[in-house]
């Protein structure tokens, strides 16, 4: 089946483009020190607000820091936040969805009411409210985004589990005397991998977007640590004087989120043609 999936995936040019961009961004994050000769926190007020040139590819900011270096190192922050937050979301959402879908009854009722309550609050404003009471740093941002984004995935996994638990191979597993947890995490979980992969891919892009918005508002990654969001924050004060401070980090966010969305849509077409 995986060979068939790969053949389908190769025919989707947009998904391949998204995967290629993601691989390039990952390499940029890994080899960031080799891609630039400037430190992202190195200041030189004499060279502040320099336009893009051969020396400074993306110009400099209001403190004379190289914008290209800050965007390159900011890739590490954004991808880390995206992967960790999506991992937390997938873990919590999958566990709750499997338990609710398999056991049903009161357990299902209570867990789904919790999901309904979580879905009543817009995710970004819920994250904003929680971060406002905590110290704004990368660790709190990752945890809060992950712990507030799982309800949609939980409902999706629950729906899949409700269907799978009534199939013949599950009755056969029960008849063989397999434990409930083995049935749940081996036989059922293996059959919901596709929606989990799709959701995880889309959640990475969503988490990067939320982190950038929080950093832009000053509640995410704090300076001098480079983040695409806080580079945009410094750019808004010089939007007419130094356009490059807003253009390049904005393009980085746009391209990254678009790449993950294209990959997620491609995986959806592959697994459910």
């Amino acid at each position: 089946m995986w060979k068939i999936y790969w053949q389908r995936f190769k025919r989707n040019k947009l998904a391949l483009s998204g995967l290629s961009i993601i691989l390039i961004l990952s390499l940029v994050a890994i080899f960031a020190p080799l891609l630039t000769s400037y430190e992202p926190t190195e200041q030189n007020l004499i060279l502040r607000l320099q336009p893009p040139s051969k020396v400074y590819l993306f110009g400099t900011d209001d403190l004379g820091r190289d914008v290209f270096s800050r965007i390159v190192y900011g890739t590490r922050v954004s991808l880390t936040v995206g992967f960790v937050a999506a991992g937390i979301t997938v873990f919590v959402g999958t566990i709750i969805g499997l338990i609710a879908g398999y056991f049903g009854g009161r357990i299902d009722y209570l867990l789904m009411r919790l999901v309904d309550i979580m879905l009543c609050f817009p995710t970004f404003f819920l994250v904003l409210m929680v971060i406002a009471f905590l110290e704004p740093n990368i660790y709190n941002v990752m945890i809060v985004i992950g712990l507030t984004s799982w309800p949609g995935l939980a409902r999706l996994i629950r729906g899949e589990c409700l269907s799978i638990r009534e199939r013949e191979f599950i009755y056969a597993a029960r008849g063989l005397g397999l434990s409930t947890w083995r049935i749940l995490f081996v036989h059922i979980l293996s059959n919901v991998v596709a929606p989990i992969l799709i959701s995880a891919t889309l959640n990475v892009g969503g988490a990067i977007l939320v982190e950038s918005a929080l950093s832009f508002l000053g509640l995410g990654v704090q300076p001098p640590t480079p983040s695409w969001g806080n580079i945009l924050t410094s750019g808004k004060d010089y939007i007419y004087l130094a356009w490059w401070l807003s253009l390049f980090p904005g393009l980085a966010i746009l391209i990254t989120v678009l790449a993950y969305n294209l990959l997620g849509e491609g995986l959806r077409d592959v697994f459910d043609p």
Side-chain angles (χ1 to χ4, degrees):
M1 283 302 298
W2 289 105
K3 290 182 180 179
I4 296 175
Y5 291 151
W6 176 242
Q7 293 298 324
R8 292 177 186 167
F9 185 81
K10 287 195 299 184
R11 291 195 294 267
N12 192 323
K13 302 302 182 184
L14 289 178
L16 277 177
S17 301
L19 178 61
S20 301
I21 294 172
I22 291 169
L23 291 176
I24 293 172
L25 289 171
S26 301
L27 292 175
V28 168
I30 294 171
F31 299 107
L34 303 178
L35 298 177
T36 175
S37 57
Y38 298 99
E39 289 295 324
T41 57
E42 182 182 350
Q43 300 181 16
N44 188 343
L45 294 178
I46 298 176
L47 298 173
R48 65 191 300 266
L49 299 179
Q50 293 291 311
S53 62
K54 292 181 179 180
V55 179
Y56 300 104
L57 294 179
F58 291 173
T60 61
D61 63 8
D62 56 320
L63 296 177
R65 296 172 296 192
D66 181 43
V67 176
F68 177 75
S69 299
R70 292 182 63 76
I71 290 177
V72 167
Y73 279 88
T75 306
R76 287 182 168 183
V77 173
S78 295
L79 293 186
T80 301
V81 171
F83 284 128
V84 174
I88 295 173
T89 297
V90 167
F91 178 78
V92 176
T94 300
I95 296 296
I96 291 179
L98 286 175
I99 293 175
Y102 184 77
F103 291 103
R106 292 184 177 180
I107 295 177
D108 180 30
Y109 179 82
L110 292 174
L111 290 176
M112 287 302 102
R113 296 299 74 75
L114 174 62
V115 169
D116 291 339
I117 292 172
M118 293 288 292
L119 290 174
C120 287
F121 300 95
T123 302
F124 180 74
F125 292 105
L126 183 60
V127 172
L128 201 63
M129 181 181 67
V130 175
I131 287 292
F133 290 99
L134 301 174
E135 180 184 356
N137 57 51
I138 186 172
Y139 303 106
N140 288 337
V141 168
M142 291 187 295
I143 294 172
V144 171
I145 293 175
L147 292 179
T148 54
S149 304
W150 57 265
L153 178 60
R155 296 187 75 169
L156 175 64
I157 299 302
R158 171 185 174 268
E160 294 287 331
C161 188
L162 287 173
S163 172
I164 294 171
R165 73 175 186 178
E166 303 300 331
R167 297 182 183 177
E168 288 79 3
F169 70 91
I170 298 297
Y171 287 111
R174 291 171 183 162
L176 290 171
L178 299 183
S179 67
T180 298
W181 299 109
R182 180 176 176 81
I183 294 173
L184 196 59
F185 290 106
V186 175
H187 296 282
I188 295 181
L189 181 60
S190 62
N191 284 277
V192 295
V193 169
I196 290 175
L197 285 176
I198 296 168
S199 180
T201 305
L202 296 174
N203 276 323
V204 172
I208 291 173
L209 200 58
V210 172
E211 181 276 324
S212 299
L214 290 173
S215 296
F216 178 79
L217 295 173
L219 296 174
V221 178
Q222 298 299 298
T225 302
S227 165
W228 293 340
N230 59 34
I231 298 174
L232 277 172
T233 300
S234 61
K236 68 181 176 59
D237 297 326
Y238 301 94
I239 188 68
Y240 297 109
L241 180 64
W243 52 266
W244 55 89
L245 291 180
S246 300
L247 176 64
F248 293 119
L251 284 176
I253 296 170
L254 170 66
I255 293 171
T256 303
V257 176
L258 180 61
Y260 278 102
N261 286 342
L262 290 176
L263 179 59
E265 292 295 331
L267 291 175
R268 179 175 297 166
D269 293 339
V270 166
F271 290 119
D272 188 14

